[in-house]
Amino acid sequence: MDPELLKYLLMGIITLNIFIEKWLAWLNIRQVPDHLPATLDQYLDDNKLKQTRTYQVANYKFGLVTGIFTYLLTIWFIGSGFFGELDGWLRYFIDYPLFLSLAYIGILYMGSDLLSLPFDYYHTFKIEEEFGFNNTTKKVFFLDKLKSYVISIVIGGVLLYALLWLIHQAGLDFWWMFWIVAIVFMLSVNLFYTAWILPLFNKLSPLEDGDLKRDILRYAKSVGFSLDNIFVIDGSKRSSKANAFFSGLGKRKKVVLYDTLIDQHTPDELVAVLAHEIGHYKKKHIYYNLITSILQVGVMLFILSQVIYNENMSLALGGDQLALHLNFIGFTMLFSPLSMLLGIGMNMMSRKHEFEADEFAKTTYAGEPLAEALKTLSVKTLSNIHPHPWYVFVHYSHPPLIERLEKLEE
Ligand SMILES: [Zn+2]
């Protein structure tokens, strides 16, 4: 395709993308609940509903501003040939093509992150703070940033270097070779996330002996689930929002409970939440998710292999010769509609899994305490009670609260 045409195609794609994105968000925010099911009466009074609404609107506006800012900046960068100019400028300093690409992508990554820093800061210390969710101190906020820069530079740098090296050495075959590298990497993250990455940000401690631990272990045993690692994480260091998750595969699996979750729920509710999580294992969702992500990466790499050597892509972005890093940027834009479609597929699968895990908790433990826990969680986090069905279709990895309650309380 002619570079000029390709340039307008890229602009068209990202325009369509933000249009769909913001249109869905708008549909979602203008949806005002007409009535609430009786089961939520005790949890949501008028005051709480009003607060929920205000929080949703604040986040909607925030998303609108950041989205439009990023969009305009990208369009300006494409239109003005900035991406190509940056390439030309870096070529004065760096000869070796692999380092050139690494530096180029590194600069864009750091640049975009620094630009988003004021927005992140505002979201944490203004919006989250105002609604009482924020516990992050400024020190923690900036330390987090610093640590994630170091991790991205080290891990991202090594992976990117491996990818670029394969592109240079193996030609078109690079896509399946790097796919193998990516699979090994994804499996290692899965296995070692709680042991290596998480402790850099949070403190993990084993759950103390007591009623809760006894109840959890008793339940786990009743469904034949071997569980030796129950950890508590100091999530309250950053936010009052609560969570629980499993990590790792096979014998290395661990369950991690947020301290905020333990504070906000009865032991009965906590066991029900755990029963739901164990349901994900018992129904093999963890493996389905892993396999789907692996396939997704494969598709991405294959498509990358179709555009990475296309000189016109570099020219479309303002370069004067083929540059792998320019084609990377072009690829991420070209790929965005497909990535939205893949995301929809993943979310559909995930929502189905959530219902199955709820069902598992209901049959092997009890539906009621899980329903109570979900209500508390949802109300405390000021979640949208009536999301728009299309917004749910595209973005929700979990079914909306009311649909889950209907099944749990049926
Ligand atoms: Zn779940």
Side-chain angles (χ1 to χ4, degrees), residues 95 98 165 176 242 245 254 390 398:
D95 277 338
L98 284 189
W165 187 81
W176 63 264
F245 62 90
K254 283 177 191 163
W390 295 353
H398 287 56

Side-chain angles (χ1 to χ4, degrees), residues 276-277 280 353-354 357-358 398 404:
H276 168 101
E277 297 301 330
H280 282 310
H353 287 170
E354 290 307 318
D358 281 353
H398 287 56
R404 291 178 78 179

Side-chain angles (χ1 to χ4, degrees), residues 85-297:
E85 272 172 38
L86 180 63
D87 171 57
W89 180 74
L90 270 179
R91 279 177 197 273
Y92 282 116
F93 304 98
I94 307 171
D95 277 338
Y96 185 54
L98 284 189
F99 288 150
L100 176 70
S101 295
L102 268 183
Y104 186 93
I105 293 170
I107 286 174
L108 278 192
Y109 163 76
M110 289 301 276
S112 83
D113 208 275
L114 285 176
L115 278 176
S116 72
L117 193 66
F119 293 108
D120 288 349
Y121 187 90
Y122 181 84
H123 191 259
T124 305
F125 294 106
K126 186 74 191 167
I127 300 180
E128 295 289 293
E129 182 82 40
E130 203 175 303
F131 291 89
F133 294 131
N134 180 44
N135 294 334
T136 314
T137 60
K138 292 184 178 149
K139 189 180 155 202
V140 169
F141 179 83
F142 286 108
L143 265 178
D144 280 359
K145 280 280 161 201
L146 208 65
K147 286 181 212 167
S148 42
Y149 285 148
V150 174
I151 296 174
S152 323
I153 289 168
V154 174
I155 299 181
V158 170
L159 283 175
L160 190 60
Y161 189 86
L163 175 60
L164 290 165
W165 187 81
L166 282 172
I167 294 175
H168 275 273
Q169 299 296 320
L172 268 177
D173 279 337
F174 83 85
W175 77 270
W176 63 264
M177 295 184 181
F178 188 73
W179 195 17
I180 297 173
V181 176
I183 292 171
V184 172
F185 175 72
M186 286 162 83
L187 288 174
S188 331
V189 168
N190 223 298
L191 290 176
F192 301 111
Y193 177 70
T194 44
W196 293 351
I197 309 279
L198 206 55
L200 297 174
F201 294 92
N202 283 89
K203 215 176 106 209
L204 277 163
S205 33
L207 178 65
E208 282 168 26
D209 290 330
D211 291 354
L212 179 59
K213 190 171 175 182
R214 193 201 58 213
D215 291 350
I216 291 174
L217 290 178
R218 186 192 293 155
Y219 166 77
K221 206 174 159 205
S222 77
V223 290
F225 186 78
S226 69
L227 183 64
D228 345 277
N229 300 308
I230 310 173
F231 287 91
V232 180
I233 187 175
D234 59 343
S236 59
K237 184 172 151 190
R238 293 193 181 78
S239 167
S240 60
K241 291 179 177 173
N243 204 354
F245 62 90
F246 263 98
S247 161
L249 300 168
K251 286 254 171 287
R252 290 191 65 93
K253 61 185 180 292
K254 283 177 191 163
V255 57
V256 181
L257 301 169
Y258 276 53
D259 53 356
T260 40
L261 192 78
I262 297 180
D263 290 345
Q264 292 166 11
H265 296 276
T266 64
D268 195 26
E269 289 173 7
L270 289 167
V271 178
V273 170
L274 251 289
H276 168 101
E277 297 301 330
I278 289 176
H280 282 310
Y281 264 90
K282 284 281 182 181
K283 302 263 168 195
K284 303 213 163 29
H285 298 159
I286 312 293
Y287 295 95
Y288 288 130
N289 289 346
L290 199 59
I291 290 168
T292 326
S293 315
I294 286 174
L295 290 176
Q296 195 169 347
V297 171

